[in-house]
Amino acid sequence: DLTIRGNTNPETIMVETLEVSDNDMTAKGKLVFDRQKYDVAWEHYMKDVTLSDDIELDITLQASK
């Protein structure tokens, strides 16, 4: 679940790489979500500019023993 500005929605991280050794683990992926579901608005000073509703985050998770 992802919460932004008090709005919570289920989201999925698409894992692209996973490296596991005896002592640690690293996973890398992308999280893409629709900013409109979280009431994230953007007003640009140029009226003809279009902002995509999709926000893309690169995620890296590292864990060790």
Side-chain angles (χ1 to χ4, degrees):
D1 289 344
L2 178 64
T3 301
I4 299 175
R5 294 188 174 186
N7 298 306
T8 302
N9 293 287
E11 300 292 349
T12 302
I13 296 173
M14 303 304 296
V15 176
E16 297 172 338
T17 62
L18 178 63
E19 299 173 9
V20 179
S21 70
D22 291 337
N23 297 319
D24 57 7
M25 182 273 310
T26 301
K28 293 183 180 184
K30 290 194 184 302
L31 171 61
V32 180
F33 61 92
D34 182 349
R35 67 183 177 84
Q36 295 293 334
K37 294 191 316 188
Y38 300 94
D39 296 328
V40 176
W42 177 269
E43 289 189 32
H44 199 280
Y45 65 92
M46 295 175 55
K47 298 298 180 193
D48 294 336
V49 173
T50 302
L51 179 66
S52 173
D53 287 336
D54 288 339
I55 303 294
E56 183 176 311
L57 301 175
D58 291 323
I59 305 291
T60 301
L61 174 67
Q62 294 179 314
S64 59
K65 287 185 176 181

Short mmCIF file of all heavy atoms in Angstrom, two decimals:
data_model
loop_
_atom_site.label_atom_id
_atom_site.label_comp_id
_atom_site.label_asym_id
_atom_site.label_seq_id
_atom_site.Cartn_x
_atom_site.Cartn_y
_atom_site.Cartn_z
N ASP A 1 0.85 -1.18 0.00
CA ASP A 1 0.00 0.00 0.00
C ASP A 1 0.89 1.24 0.00
O ASP A 1 1.88 1.30 0.71
CB ASP A 1 -0.90 0.02 1.22
CG ASP A 1 -2.00 -1.05 1.15
OD1 ASP A 1 -2.24 -1.57 0.05
OD2 ASP A 1 -2.61 -1.32 2.19
N LEU A 2 0.49 2.23 -0.78
CA LEU A 2 1.21 3.50 -0.86
C LEU A 2 0.28 4.59 -0.35
O LEU A 2 -0.88 4.67 -0.77
CB LEU A 2 1.63 3.79 -2.31
CG LEU A 2 2.34 5.10 -2.57
CD1 LEU A 2 3.68 5.16 -1.85
CD2 LEU A 2 2.54 5.30 -4.08
N THR A 3 0.77 5.42 0.58
CA THR A 3 -0.01 6.52 1.11
C THR A 3 0.67 7.84 0.78
O THR A 3 1.84 8.04 1.08
CB THR A 3 -0.17 6.41 2.64
OG1 THR A 3 -0.80 5.16 2.95
CG2 THR A 3 -1.02 7.54 3.19
N ILE A 4 -0.08 8.74 0.13
CA ILE A 4 0.40 10.08 -0.20
C ILE A 4 -0.74 11.04 0.13
O ILE A 4 -1.88 10.84 -0.31
CB ILE A 4 0.77 10.21 -1.69
CG1 ILE A 4 1.90 9.25 -2.04
CG2 ILE A 4 1.16 11.64 -2.03
CD1 ILE A 4 2.25 9.21 -3.52
N ARG A 5 -0.43 12.05 0.94
CA ARG A 5 -1.42 13.07 1.33
C ARG A 5 -2.68 12.45 1.92
O ARG A 5 -3.80 12.91 1.65
CB ARG A 5 -1.77 13.95 0.14
CG ARG A 5 -0.62 14.79 -0.32
CD ARG A 5 -1.05 15.78 -1.35
NE ARG A 5 0.07 16.64 -1.65
CZ ARG A 5 0.00 17.68 -2.43
NH1 ARG A 5 -1.13 18.00 -3.01
NH2 ARG A 5 1.05 18.42 -2.66
N GLY A 6 -2.52 11.39 2.70
CA GLY A 6 -3.65 10.75 3.36
C GLY A 6 -4.46 9.81 2.49
O GLY A 6 -5.43 9.23 2.95
N ASN A 7 -4.09 9.65 1.23
CA ASN A 7 -4.77 8.73 0.32
C ASN A 7 -3.95 7.45 0.20
O ASN A 7 -2.77 7.51 -0.14
CB ASN A 7 -4.94 9.35 -1.06
CG ASN A 7 -5.81 10.58 -1.03
OD1 ASN A 7 -6.92 10.54 -0.54
ND2 ASN A 7 -5.30 11.69 -1.53
N THR A 8 -4.57 6.30 0.46
CA THR A 8 -3.87 5.02 0.40
C THR A 8 -4.47 4.16 -0.70
O THR A 8 -5.70 4.01 -0.79
CB THR A 8 -3.98 4.29 1.75
OG1 THR A 8 -3.43 5.12 2.77
CG2 THR A 8 -3.22 2.97 1.72
N ASN A 9 -3.60 3.60 -1.53
CA ASN A 9 -4.00 2.71 -2.61
C ASN A 9 -3.00 1.57 -2.72
O ASN A 9 -1.81 1.77 -2.46
CB ASN A 9 -4.04 3.46 -3.95
CG ASN A 9 -5.12 4.50 -3.99
OD1 ASN A 9 -6.30 4.18 -4.07
ND2 ASN A 9 -4.73 5.76 -3.92
N PRO A 10 -3.45 0.39 -3.14
CA PRO A 10 -2.50 -0.70 -3.38
C PRO A 10 -1.68 -0.41 -4.64
O PRO A 10 -2.23 0.05 -5.64
CB PRO A 10 -3.39 -1.93 -3.57
CG PRO A 10 -4.71 -1.39 -4.01
CD PRO A 10 -4.84 -0.01 -3.38
N GLU A 11 -0.40 -0.61 -4.57
CA GLU A 11 0.49 -0.42 -5.72
C GLU A 11 1.45 -1.61 -5.79
O GLU A 11 1.66 -2.29 -4.79
CB GLU A 11 1.30 0.88 -5.59
CG GLU A 11 0.46 2.14 -5.50
CD GLU A 11 -0.29 2.50 -6.76
OE1 GLU A 11 -0.03 1.89 -7.84
OE2 GLU A 11 -1.13 3.41 -6.69
N THR A 12 2.03 -1.84 -6.95
CA THR A 12 2.93 -2.97 -7.16
C THR A 12 4.26 -2.48 -7.70
O THR A 12 4.30 -1.71 -8.66
CB THR A 12 2.33 -3.99 -8.15
OG1 THR A 12 1.07 -4.42 -7.64
CG2 THR A 12 3.23 -5.17 -8.34
N ILE A 13 5.35 -2.92 -7.09
CA ILE A 13 6.69 -2.63 -7.59
C ILE A 13 7.07 -3.74 -8.56
O ILE A 13 6.99 -4.93 -8.21
CB ILE A 13 7.72 -2.56 -6.45
CG1 ILE A 13 7.39 -1.40 -5.51
CG2 ILE A 13 9.14 -2.41 -7.01
CD1 ILE A 13 8.24 -1.35 -4.27
N MET A 14 7.44 -3.38 -9.76
CA MET A 14 7.87 -4.36 -10.76
C MET A 14 9.38 -4.58 -10.58
O MET A 14 10.18 -3.70 -10.90
CB MET A 14 7.56 -3.87 -12.18
CG MET A 14 6.08 -3.56 -12.40
SD MET A 14 4.96 -4.93 -12.02
CE MET A 14 5.45 -6.11 -13.22
N VAL A 15 9.75 -5.74 -10.03
CA VAL A 15 11.15 -6.04 -9.76
C VAL A 15 11.85 -6.36 -11.08
O VAL A 15 11.40 -7.21 -11.85
CB VAL A 15 11.29 -7.22 -8.77
CG1 VAL A 15 12.74 -7.59 -8.57
CG2 VAL A 15 10.63 -6.85 -7.44
N GLU A 16 12.97 -5.67 -11.34
CA GLU A 16 13.73 -5.87 -12.57
C GLU A 16 14.96 -6.75 -12.35
O GLU A 16 15.32 -7.53 -13.21
CB GLU A 16 14.13 -4.52 -13.16
CG GLU A 16 12.92 -3.69 -13.56
CD GLU A 16 13.28 -2.28 -13.97
OE1 GLU A 16 14.36 -1.79 -13.58
OE2 GLU A 16 12.47 -1.66 -14.66
N THR A 17 15.62 -6.58 -11.20
CA THR A 17 16.78 -7.42 -10.88
C THR A 17 16.73 -7.81 -9.42
O THR A 17 16.25 -7.08 -8.57
CB THR A 17 18.12 -6.70 -11.14
OG1 THR A 17 18.21 -5.55 -10.30
CG2 THR A 17 18.28 -6.29 -12.60
N LEU A 18 17.25 -9.00 -9.14
CA LEU A 18 17.33 -9.51 -7.77
C LEU A 18 18.65 -10.24 -7.64
O LEU A 18 18.93 -11.18 -8.40
CB LEU A 18 16.17 -10.47 -7.49
CG LEU A 18 16.14 -11.11 -6.11
CD1 LEU A 18 15.98 -10.06 -5.03
CD2 LEU A 18 15.02 -12.14 -6.03
N GLU A 19 19.49 -9.77 -6.72
CA GLU A 19 20.80 -10.38 -6.47
C GLU A 19 20.83 -10.86 -5.03
O GLU A 19 20.60 -10.09 -4.11
CB GLU A 19 21.92 -9.38 -6.72
CG GLU A 19 21.98 -8.86 -8.15
CD GLU A 19 22.98 -7.74 -8.33
OE1 GLU A 19 23.77 -7.47 -7.39
OE2 GLU A 19 22.98 -7.12 -9.39
N VAL A 20 21.13 -12.16 -4.85
CA VAL A 20 21.16 -12.74 -3.52
C VAL A 20 22.50 -13.42 -3.31
O VAL A 20 22.98 -14.16 -4.18
CB VAL A 20 20.03 -13.79 -3.35
CG1 VAL A 20 20.08 -14.42 -1.97
CG2 VAL A 20 18.67 -13.15 -3.61
N SER A 21 23.14 -13.15 -2.15
CA SER A 21 24.37 -13.83 -1.77
C SER A 21 24.17 -14.41 -0.38
O SER A 21 23.08 -14.31 0.19
CB SER A 21 25.56 -12.86 -1.80
OG SER A 21 25.46 -11.93 -0.75
N ASP A 22 25.21 -14.98 0.20
CA ASP A 22 25.10 -15.57 1.52
C ASP A 22 24.79 -14.54 2.60
O ASP A 22 24.14 -14.85 3.60
CB ASP A 22 26.40 -16.30 1.90
CG ASP A 22 26.60 -17.56 1.07
OD1 ASP A 22 25.60 -18.09 0.54
OD2 ASP A 22 27.76 -17.99 0.94
N ASN A 23 25.26 -13.30 2.41
CA ASN A 23 25.12 -12.29 3.46
C ASN A 23 24.16 -11.15 3.16
O ASN A 23 23.82 -10.39 4.05
CB ASN A 23 26.49 -11.70 3.80
CG ASN A 23 27.43 -12.74 4.36
OD1 ASN A 23 27.02 -13.57 5.15
ND2 ASN A 23 28.67 -12.71 3.93
N ASP A 24 23.78 -10.97 1.90
CA ASP A 24 22.89 -9.85 1.60
C ASP A 24 22.04 -10.10 0.36
O ASP A 24 22.17 -11.11 -0.32
CB ASP A 24 23.69 -8.55 1.44
CG ASP A 24 24.76 -8.63 0.37
OD1 ASP A 24 24.81 -9.62 -0.36
OD2 ASP A 24 25.54 -7.67 0.26
N MET A 25 21.16 -9.13 0.10
CA MET A 25 20.24 -9.20 -1.02
C MET A 25 19.99 -7.78 -1.52
O MET A 25 19.89 -6.84 -0.73
CB MET A 25 18.92 -9.82 -0.54
CG MET A 25 17.86 -10.02 -1.59
SD MET A 25 16.73 -8.64 -1.92
CE MET A 25 16.15 -8.15 -0.35
N THR A 26 19.91 -7.63 -2.85
CA THR A 26 19.58 -6.35 -3.46
C THR A 26 18.51 -6.58 -4.51
O THR A 26 18.65 -7.46 -5.37
CB THR A 26 20.81 -5.70 -4.12
OG1 THR A 26 21.82 -5.50 -3.12
CG2 THR A 26 20.46 -4.36 -4.74
N ALA A 27 17.44 -5.81 -4.44
CA ALA A 27 16.38 -5.87 -5.43
C ALA A 27 16.21 -4.47 -6.01
O ALA A 27 16.22 -3.48 -5.28
CB ALA A 27 15.08 -6.34 -4.81
N LYS A 28 16.06 -4.38 -7.34
CA LYS A 28 15.83 -3.10 -8.01
C LYS A 28 14.59 -3.22 -8.86
O LYS A 28 14.35 -4.26 -9.48
CB LYS A 28 17.03 -2.72 -8.88
CG LYS A 28 18.27 -2.42 -8.08
CD LYS A 28 19.40 -1.97 -8.96
CE LYS A 28 20.64 -1.69 -8.10
NZ LYS A 28 21.74 -1.17 -8.90
N GLY A 29 13.80 -2.16 -8.88
CA GLY A 29 12.59 -2.18 -9.67
C GLY A 29 12.01 -0.80 -9.86
O GLY A 29 12.63 0.20 -9.50
N LYS A 30 10.81 -0.75 -10.42
CA LYS A 30 10.13 0.50 -10.69
C LYS A 30 8.74 0.46 -10.07
O LYS A 30 8.06 -0.56 -10.08
CB LYS A 30 9.98 0.73 -12.18
CG LYS A 30 11.28 1.03 -12.88
CD LYS A 30 11.02 1.57 -14.28
CE LYS A 30 12.31 1.79 -15.03
NZ LYS A 30 13.23 2.69 -14.39
N LEU A 31 8.34 1.61 -9.55
CA LEU A 31 6.98 1.80 -9.07
C LEU A 31 6.38 2.90 -9.92
O LEU A 31 6.91 4.02 -9.96
CB LEU A 31 6.99 2.20 -7.59
CG LEU A 31 5.65 2.64 -7.00
CD1 LEU A 31 4.63 1.52 -7.08
CD2 LEU A 31 5.84 3.09 -5.57
N VAL A 32 5.31 2.59 -10.63
CA VAL A 32 4.61 3.58 -11.46
C VAL A 32 3.19 3.69 -10.91
O VAL A 32 2.50 2.68 -10.76
CB VAL A 32 4.58 3.16 -12.94
CG1 VAL A 32 3.85 4.20 -13.77
CG2 VAL A 32 5.99 2.96 -13.47
N PHE A 33 2.79 4.93 -10.58
CA PHE A 33 1.44 5.12 -10.05
C PHE A 33 0.83 6.39 -10.63
O PHE A 33 1.53 7.29 -11.09
CB PHE A 33 1.44 5.16 -8.52
CG PHE A 33 2.25 6.28 -7.92
CD1 PHE A 33 1.66 7.49 -7.62
CD2 PHE A 33 3.60 6.11 -7.67
CE1 PHE A 33 2.40 8.52 -7.06
CE2 PHE A 33 4.35 7.14 -7.11
CZ PHE A 33 3.74 8.35 -6.81
N ASP A 34 -0.48 6.45 -10.61
CA ASP A 34 -1.26 7.57 -11.14
C ASP A 34 -1.38 8.64 -10.05
O ASP A 34 -1.99 8.42 -9.01
CB ASP A 34 -2.63 7.08 -11.56
CG ASP A 34 -3.51 8.16 -12.16
OD1 ASP A 34 -3.15 9.37 -12.09
OD2 ASP A 34 -4.56 7.82 -12.72
N ARG A 35 -0.80 9.81 -10.27
CA ARG A 35 -0.80 10.87 -9.27
C ARG A 35 -2.22 11.36 -8.95
O ARG A 35 -2.48 11.86 -7.86
CB ARG A 35 0.07 12.04 -9.72
CG ARG A 35 -0.47 12.77 -10.92
CD ARG A 35 0.49 13.88 -11.36
NE ARG A 35 0.00 14.53 -12.55
CZ ARG A 35 -0.89 15.51 -12.55
NH1 ARG A 35 -1.39 15.95 -11.42
NH2 ARG A 35 -1.30 16.05 -13.68
N GLN A 36 -3.15 11.19 -9.88
CA GLN A 36 -4.52 11.64 -9.66
C GLN A 36 -5.20 10.87 -8.52
O GLN A 36 -6.07 11.41 -7.84
CB GLN A 36 -5.35 11.50 -10.95
CG GLN A 36 -4.88 12.38 -12.08
CD GLN A 36 -5.09 13.86 -11.81
OE1 GLN A 36 -5.98 14.25 -11.05
NE2 GLN A 36 -4.28 14.70 -12.43
N LYS A 37 -4.80 9.60 -8.30
CA LYS A 37 -5.38 8.81 -7.21
C LYS A 37 -4.98 9.35 -5.85
O LYS A 37 -5.59 9.00 -4.84
CB LYS A 37 -4.94 7.34 -7.32
CG LYS A 37 -5.46 6.63 -8.54
CD LYS A 37 -5.25 5.13 -8.51
CE LYS A 37 -3.93 4.63 -8.08
NZ LYS A 37 -3.74 3.19 -8.25
N TYR A 38 -3.97 10.21 -5.82
CA TYR A 38 -3.45 10.74 -4.56
C TYR A 38 -3.65 12.25 -4.44
O TYR A 38 -3.05 12.89 -3.59
CB TYR A 38 -1.96 10.38 -4.43
CG TYR A 38 -1.74 8.90 -4.43
CD1 TYR A 38 -1.45 8.21 -5.61
CD2 TYR A 38 -1.85 8.16 -3.27
CE1 TYR A 38 -1.27 6.83 -5.61
CE2 TYR A 38 -1.67 6.79 -3.26
CZ TYR A 38 -1.38 6.14 -4.43
OH TYR A 38 -1.20 4.78 -4.43
N ASP A 39 -4.47 12.81 -5.32
CA ASP A 39 -4.78 14.25 -5.31
C ASP A 39 -3.52 15.12 -5.42
O ASP A 39 -3.40 16.15 -4.76
CB ASP A 39 -5.57 14.64 -4.05
CG ASP A 39 -6.93 13.99 -4.01
OD1 ASP A 39 -7.51 13.77 -5.09
OD2 ASP A 39 -7.41 13.69 -2.90
N VAL A 40 -2.58 14.69 -6.26
CA VAL A 40 -1.37 15.47 -6.50
C VAL A 40 -1.59 16.28 -7.77
O VAL A 40 -1.65 15.73 -8.86
CB VAL A 40 -0.13 14.56 -6.63
CG1 VAL A 40 1.09 15.40 -6.97
CG2 VAL A 40 0.08 13.77 -5.35
N ALA A 41 -1.76 17.58 -7.61
CA ALA A 41 -2.03 18.47 -8.74
C ALA A 41 -0.80 19.32 -9.02
O ALA A 41 0.06 19.51 -8.16
CB ALA A 41 -3.22 19.37 -8.42
N TRP A 42 -0.73 19.84 -10.22
CA TRP A 42 0.38 20.67 -10.63
C TRP A 42 -0.15 21.76 -11.53
O TRP A 42 -0.82 21.50 -12.53
CB TRP A 42 1.40 19.82 -11.37
CG TRP A 42 2.56 20.61 -11.90
CD1 TRP A 42 2.66 21.20 -13.13
CD2 TRP A 42 3.79 20.88 -11.23
NE1 TRP A 42 3.86 21.83 -13.26
CE2 TRP A 42 4.59 21.65 -12.10
CE3 TRP A 42 4.29 20.56 -9.99
CZ2 TRP A 42 5.85 22.09 -11.77
CZ3 TRP A 42 5.55 21.00 -9.66
CH2 TRP A 42 6.31 21.75 -10.54
N GLU A 43 0.10 22.99 -11.18
CA GLU A 43 -0.26 24.11 -12.04
C GLU A 43 1.01 24.70 -12.60
O GLU A 43 1.88 25.15 -11.86
CB GLU A 43 -1.04 25.16 -11.25
CG GLU A 43 -2.43 24.71 -10.88
CD GLU A 43 -3.24 25.85 -10.29
OE1 GLU A 43 -3.01 27.01 -10.68
OE2 GLU A 43 -4.07 25.56 -9.44
N HIS A 44 1.13 24.69 -13.90
CA HIS A 44 2.30 25.22 -14.57
C HIS A 44 1.98 26.62 -15.07
O HIS A 44 0.86 26.90 -15.48
CB HIS A 44 2.70 24.30 -15.73
CG HIS A 44 4.11 24.50 -16.17
ND1 HIS A 44 4.49 25.52 -16.98
CD2 HIS A 44 5.23 23.80 -15.90
CE1 HIS A 44 5.80 25.46 -17.20
NE2 HIS A 44 6.26 24.41 -16.55
N TYR A 45 2.97 27.48 -15.02
CA TYR A 45 2.74 28.86 -15.45
C TYR A 45 2.45 28.95 -16.95
O TYR A 45 1.85 29.91 -17.41
CB TYR A 45 3.94 29.74 -15.10
CG TYR A 45 5.22 29.39 -15.81
CD1 TYR A 45 5.56 30.00 -17.01
CD2 TYR A 45 6.08 28.43 -15.29
CE1 TYR A 45 6.72 29.67 -17.67
CE2 TYR A 45 7.25 28.10 -15.95
CZ TYR A 45 7.56 28.72 -17.13
OH TYR A 45 8.72 28.38 -17.78
N MET A 46 2.84 27.93 -17.72
CA MET A 46 2.53 27.87 -19.15
C MET A 46 1.28 27.01 -19.31
O MET A 46 1.29 25.82 -18.99
CB MET A 46 3.69 27.30 -19.94
CG MET A 46 4.92 28.17 -19.91
SD MET A 46 6.37 27.44 -20.72
CE MET A 46 5.76 27.07 -22.32
N LYS A 47 0.21 27.56 -19.77
CA LYS A 47 -1.08 26.88 -19.83
C LYS A 47 -1.09 25.68 -20.79
O LYS A 47 -1.89 24.78 -20.63
CB LYS A 47 -2.19 27.86 -20.22
CG LYS A 47 -2.36 28.98 -19.23
CD LYS A 47 -2.78 28.46 -17.88
CE LYS A 47 -2.96 29.60 -16.91
NZ LYS A 47 -3.06 29.17 -15.54
N ASP A 48 -0.23 25.66 -21.79
CA ASP A 48 -0.24 24.59 -22.79
C ASP A 48 0.62 23.39 -22.39
O ASP A 48 0.71 22.42 -23.14
CB ASP A 48 0.24 25.11 -24.15
CG ASP A 48 -0.73 26.13 -24.73
OD1 ASP A 48 -1.91 26.09 -24.35
OD2 ASP A 48 -0.31 26.94 -25.56
N VAL A 49 1.25 23.41 -21.22
CA VAL A 49 2.12 22.32 -20.78
C VAL A 49 1.26 21.20 -20.19
O VAL A 49 0.38 21.44 -19.37
CB VAL A 49 3.15 22.82 -19.74
CG1 VAL A 49 3.94 21.66 -19.16
CG2 VAL A 49 4.07 23.83 -20.38
N THR A 50 1.52 19.98 -20.64
CA THR A 50 0.79 18.82 -20.13
C THR A 50 1.72 18.00 -19.26
O THR A 50 2.83 17.66 -19.65
CB THR A 50 0.28 17.95 -21.30
OG1 THR A 50 -0.56 18.75 -22.13
CG2 THR A 50 -0.50 16.78 -20.77
N LEU A 51 1.25 17.67 -18.07
CA LEU A 51 2.02 16.85 -17.14
C LEU A 51 1.37 15.47 -17.12
O LEU A 51 0.16 15.34 -16.93
CB LEU A 51 1.99 17.46 -15.73
CG LEU A 51 2.72 16.70 -14.65
CD1 LEU A 51 4.22 16.68 -14.93
CD2 LEU A 51 2.47 17.33 -13.30
N SER A 52 2.17 14.44 -17.28
CA SER A 52 1.66 13.07 -17.26
C SER A 52 1.09 12.75 -15.89
O SER A 52 1.58 13.23 -14.86
CB SER A 52 2.80 12.10 -17.59
OG SER A 52 2.36 10.76 -17.41
N ASP A 53 0.05 11.93 -15.87
CA ASP A 53 -0.52 11.48 -14.60
C ASP A 53 0.35 10.40 -13.96
O ASP A 53 0.24 10.16 -12.76
CB ASP A 53 -1.93 10.95 -14.81
CG ASP A 53 -2.92 12.07 -15.08
OD1 ASP A 53 -2.66 13.21 -14.67
OD2 ASP A 53 -3.97 11.79 -15.70
N ASP A 54 1.19 9.73 -14.75
CA ASP A 54 2.03 8.65 -14.22
C ASP A 54 3.29 9.20 -13.58
O ASP A 54 4.02 10.00 -14.18
CB ASP A 54 2.43 7.67 -15.32
CG ASP A 54 1.27 6.81 -15.78
OD1 ASP A 54 0.29 6.68 -15.02
OD2 ASP A 54 1.34 6.25 -16.89
N ILE A 55 3.55 8.78 -12.35
CA ILE A 55 4.77 9.09 -11.63
C ILE A 55 5.58 7.80 -11.58
O ILE A 55 5.05 6.75 -11.21
CB ILE A 55 4.49 9.59 -10.20
CG1 ILE A 55 3.58 10.81 -10.22
CG2 ILE A 55 5.79 9.84 -9.44
CD1 ILE A 55 4.18 12.04 -10.84
N GLU A 56 6.85 7.85 -11.95
CA GLU A 56 7.71 6.66 -11.96
C GLU A 56 8.86 6.84 -10.97
O GLU A 56 9.57 7.83 -11.02
CB GLU A 56 8.28 6.45 -13.36
CG GLU A 56 9.11 5.21 -13.48
CD GLU A 56 9.59 4.96 -14.90
OE1 GLU A 56 8.76 5.01 -15.82
OE2 GLU A 56 10.79 4.70 -15.07
N LEU A 57 8.97 5.88 -10.06
CA LEU A 57 10.05 5.89 -9.08
C LEU A 57 10.94 4.68 -9.28
O LEU A 57 10.44 3.56 -9.46
CB LEU A 57 9.49 5.85 -7.65
CG LEU A 57 8.56 6.98 -7.24
CD1 LEU A 57 8.01 6.71 -5.83
CD2 LEU A 57 9.28 8.30 -7.28
N ASP A 58 12.26 4.88 -9.25
CA ASP A 58 13.20 3.78 -9.25
C ASP A 58 13.46 3.38 -7.80
O ASP A 58 13.78 4.24 -6.98
CB ASP A 58 14.52 4.18 -9.92
CG ASP A 58 14.36 4.41 -11.41
OD1 ASP A 58 13.58 3.67 -12.04
OD2 ASP A 58 15.01 5.32 -11.95
N ILE A 59 13.26 2.11 -7.49
CA ILE A 59 13.36 1.62 -6.12
C ILE A 59 14.54 0.65 -6.00
O ILE A 59 14.73 -0.22 -6.85
CB ILE A 59 12.08 0.85 -5.71
CG1 ILE A 59 10.83 1.69 -5.92
CG2 ILE A 59 12.19 0.31 -4.29
CD1 ILE A 59 10.69 2.85 -4.99
N THR A 60 15.36 0.82 -4.97
CA THR A 60 16.43 -0.12 -4.63
C THR A 60 16.25 -0.53 -3.18
O THR A 60 16.18 0.33 -2.30
CB THR A 60 17.82 0.51 -4.82
OG1 THR A 60 17.97 0.92 -6.19
CG2 THR A 60 18.92 -0.49 -4.48
N LEU A 61 16.16 -1.83 -2.96
CA LEU A 61 16.01 -2.38 -1.61
C LEU A 61 17.22 -3.25 -1.32
O LEU A 61 17.56 -4.14 -2.09
CB LEU A 61 14.73 -3.23 -1.53
CG LEU A 61 14.51 -3.99 -0.22
CD1 LEU A 61 14.27 -3.01 0.91
CD2 LEU A 61 13.36 -4.95 -0.38
N GLN A 62 17.92 -2.93 -0.22
CA GLN A 62 19.09 -3.71 0.19
C GLN A 62 18.84 -4.26 1.58
O GLN A 62 18.36 -3.55 2.46
CB GLN A 62 20.34 -2.85 0.19
CG GLN A 62 20.73 -2.38 -1.20
CD GLN A 62 21.96 -1.51 -1.19
OE1 GLN A 62 22.07 -0.61 -0.37
NE2 GLN A 62 22.88 -1.81 -2.09
N ALA A 63 19.20 -5.53 1.77
CA ALA A 63 19.06 -6.17 3.08
C ALA A 63 20.29 -7.01 3.35
O ALA A 63 20.92 -7.53 2.42
CB ALA A 63 17.81 -7.04 3.10
N SER A 64 20.66 -7.11 4.61
CA SER A 64 21.80 -7.95 4.98
C SER A 64 21.48 -8.70 6.27
O SER A 64 20.60 -8.30 7.03
CB SER A 64 23.06 -7.12 5.13
OG SER A 64 22.88 -6.12 6.12
N LYS A 65 22.25 -9.76 6.50
CA LYS A 65 22.05 -10.55 7.73
C LYS A 65 22.55 -9.80 8.92
O LYS A 65 23.45 -9.04 8.92
CB LYS A 65 22.80 -11.88 7.62
CG LYS A 65 22.13 -12.84 6.68
CD LYS A 65 22.85 -14.15 6.75
CE LYS A 65 22.16 -15.18 5.89
NZ LYS A 65 22.81 -16.46 5.93
#
